[in-house]
Amino acid sequence: MSFLLTQAVPGDPVTANLGQRASEDPDAVAAFRAANGLDKSLPEQYLTYVGNLLTGDFGTSQQTRNPVASDLAEKVPATMELALAAILVAVVLGVGFGIVAALYRDRWPDQVLRVLSLSGVSVPTFWLALIAYYWISFKLDLLPAGGRLSPGAPTPPQVTGFYTVDSLLAGDWATFGDAVSRLVLPALVLASFTVGVLLRFTRAAVLEVLGDEYVRAARAKGLPELTVVRRHVLRPALLSVVTVTGVAFAGLLSGTVLVEQIFGWRGLGAYAYTSALALDLPAIMGVSVVVAVIYILINLVVDLLYGVIDPRLRLS
Amino acid sequence: MTAPLLEVSGLRVRLPSRTGAMLPAVDGVDLTVHAGEVLGVAGESGSGKTMTALATLGLLPHGARTDGSIRLAGRELLTLSDKQLRSVRGREVAMVAQDPRTALHPMLSIERQLTEHLRHHHGVGRKAARDEAADLLDQVRIPDPRAALARYPHEFSGGMRQRIAIASALAARPSLLIADEPTTALDVTVQAGILRLLDRLRRERGLAVLIITHDLGVLSSIADRLVVMYAGRVVESGTTADVLASARHPYTHGLLDALPEGGSAAMRPIPGSPPALGAVPSGCPFHPRCASARDTCAADVPALLQIAPGRLSACPVDPYAPVREVVS
């Protein structure tokens, strides 16, 4: 599917990648096409691509001139670190605030949080990213931004590709602090939309469960309110929250394209952006395949979580 | 006679309407339950029976106001703080809700649901609580109690779930059990089993039971005394045998005639429906639906009068007065 879509894009990789003079030279164009396999028929190209993919060969990026696989190996951890941090922030804030909003229904905490939720879902991410970058990093100088580490700082020895984790594993506290401080702002910006969505869903889910008969039964047992909420209310409410979180994570990945661009985060989103502009077909395809795999993994995790939360959904 | 375990007097419950007006749901109810006794509270939905029960547990809907007095073993419950009420709930007064499909938590194990309040109220350790829970399951006739503890509600049938719900209500050793329509959602054979179980428990444990139902047939087999409620008021009360044999209030007659197994005139429902909250008719609230109503019925609220020792009725017209044997 992605393969067909990239072919359907109105534009020629040749003109996008070769300079003005080279594209006017038929020999150069033919050489470029032959080098990238563009001279073959479409089904032939596709079969070659899939065949190579099965052996782990994503092809070579026409832009970076590196194998796409090695480009991805470098970019994916960066994006996953950002996206996982963002989803962590979003779940903690969104679910936490959602519970508070439901328990204080129609009182002032609920009303304040309703405004927060509404702004979270309505403010465009790219605008928020620019504003946050300008005010918090540039004007007020509260947090550094731009890149994953301070310019010139050595990267920690690669284990997971997550600079925060790797620096911890290496016991390098200075690098860890640097990596975290540069992660906070883009993660918050990326999370803002998801916080709003999760807040709404959690509030609605908790309110629904609060009206259930078994919650009244739990209260009739004389359990402390905190126990009732924690043990009897949250669990069924989390079931629908997990579904939404899975979907939201997918949406969050598409948000990385903008956020990475603005915060100079050299990840998958920025890579997808530049490849798309350059009509770098192998790179675009590589990104698509990786994103598809991530989606499948998310769905798998969501399905597994259902079973953990709800005994009725466990396989016997 | 010993002092009653539960003594409700002059209980009034008002619920906030959408417009903020306070509507009376329970309007001056008196009732008593002794240890080891089963009191049946009958009435159609909206008669205030469930609100009376919830008031006893301090679990009325948000914004409800109560007046009057609810005493449990001599202690006034209506003035207790939230914290004090929580130590009453479960430990002294327990409740079995109507629908066993929804009353048990679907995602918590039976063991958790049977032991959490026991451990909370009595500080029992995990293992001792498990033993006690298994023992309770055995008492309510759940086969293989030990294995049942590790399972979840969806693995049991409706009747078994209601037994488990009763076991859960009894787990923290309460002295009063409030059962709100405990058999309504169950089929008839399962119903009989649940009623036998409640009857056995009150004999063995000296448990006081307050059963709330619209089905006088259910009460006839188990309740010692009956209280019939209509539109938030008690309209008739007495021993079960007396009330069933010689009902004095037209509403009680209506309920009896509506029973499927009623002798001569089977299943004759009461015409009309109970008044909505805040739309209670003047005078006797039942008069618009009453076949014996006279003009005077719409004027004053009839007082609940003693018509025989232990027998009260709130019908001055009393079309069934000739029943002599009761008045003796």
Side-chain angles (χ1 to χ4, degrees), chain B residues 250-274:
Chain B
Y251 180 60
T252 314
H253 272 276
L255 288 180
L256 284 171
D257 287 344
L259 287 181
E261 62 267 37
S264 52
M267 285 188 82
R268 193 149 35 84
I270 307 173
S273 52

Side-chain angles (χ1 to χ4, degrees), chain A residues 213-214 216-217 219-225 231-232 235-236 239 309-312 314, chain B residues 54 59 86 89-90 97 102-103 105-108 112-113 116-117 120-121 152 154 168:
Chain A
E213 194 70 41
Y214 52 77
R216 183 193 271 177
R219 294 220 167 99
K221 285 174 167 178
L223 298 173
E225 188 63 20
R231 190 179 292 160
H232 294 255
R235 203 161 167 163
L239 206 57
I309 294 172
D310 193 341
R312 288 171 297 182
R314 273 173 219 162
Chain B
L54 291 180
L59 284 176
R86 272 201 289 276
R89 281 182 213 143
T102 55
H105 198 291
M107 302 176 194
L108 296 176
R112 170 75 83 181
Q113 301 195 52
E116 57 177 351
H117 42 320
H120 173 73
H121 287 306
Y152 290 86
H154 68 274
S168 164

Side-chain angles (χ1 to χ4, degrees), chain B residues 174-249:
Chain B
S175 47
L176 172 66
L177 179 70
I178 298 179
D180 189 358
E181 305 272 9
T183 59
T184 307
L186 306 172
D187 61 54
V188 181
T189 47
V190 182
Q191 268 189 18
I194 296 290
L195 293 177
R196 273 201 303 278
L197 168 67
L198 287 175
D199 194 46
R200 204 183 76 233
L201 290 169
R202 68 90 169 251
R203 276 186 280 112
E204 286 172 6
R205 300 180 158 231
L207 187 71
V209 183
L210 187 90
I211 296 194
I212 298 170
T213 179
H214 64 280
D215 185 353
L216 279 177
V218 163
L219 295 178
S220 64
S221 61
I222 180 174
D224 300 305
R225 286 187 302 118
L226 280 185
V227 168
V228 181
M229 285 184 70
Y230 187 77
R233 295 200 184 95
V234 174
V235 294
E236 178 161 13
S237 67
T239 65
T240 307
D242 284 352
V243 173
L244 294 182
S246 57
R248 295 290 290 272
H249 197 282

Side-chain angles (χ1 to χ4, degrees), chain A residues 64-234:
Chain A
T64 62
R65 311 226 169 263
N66 293 326
V68 172
S70 71
D71 273 355
L72 290 175
E74 184 193 326
K75 311 287 183 188
V76 168
T79 293
M80 287 311 284
E81 182 173 37
L82 177 59
L84 286 176
I87 200 76
L88 187 74
V89 168
V91 167
V92 169
L93 293 184
V95 173
F97 286 157
I99 294 167
V100 171
L103 295 180
Y104 288 89
R105 181 185 195 173
D106 293 337
R107 281 179 276 167
W108 70 264
D110 185 23
Q111 275 143 10
V112 170
L113 289 171
R114 188 172 301 160
V115 174
L116 183 78
S117 155
L118 196 64
S119 10
V121 293
S122 347
V123 172
T125 305
F126 72 90
W127 183 82
L128 188 66
L130 285 172
I131 296 296
Y133 192 106
Y134 180 74
W135 279 103
I136 296 177
S137 297
F138 181 66
K139 278 280 187 188
L140 301 175
D141 202 19
L142 293 176
L143 286 166
R148 300 173 69 190
L149 290 172
S150 302
T155 57
Q158 176 151 4
V159 183
T160 58
F162 292 8
Y163 286 178
T164 47
V165 179
D166 286 352
S167 59
L168 267 189
L169 288 176
D172 183 351
W173 288 99
T175 310
F176 176 71
D178 188 26
V180 169
S181 67
R182 282 167 184 273
L183 182 60
V184 170
L185 200 56
L188 276 175
V189 168
L190 189 56
S192 65
F193 179 82
T194 316
V195 169
V197 173
L198 283 181
L199 203 164
R200 278 188 185 185
F201 264 91
T202 308
R203 179 182 182 274
V206 169
L207 280 180
E208 196 187 321
V209 177
L210 278 176
D212 277 344
E213 194 70 41
Y214 52 77
V215 172
R216 183 193 271 177
R219 294 220 167 99
K221 285 174 167 178
L223 298 173
E225 188 63 20
L226 196 66
T227 310
V228 172
V229 170
R230 194 168 45 83
R231 190 179 292 160
H232 294 255
V233 176
L234 284 192

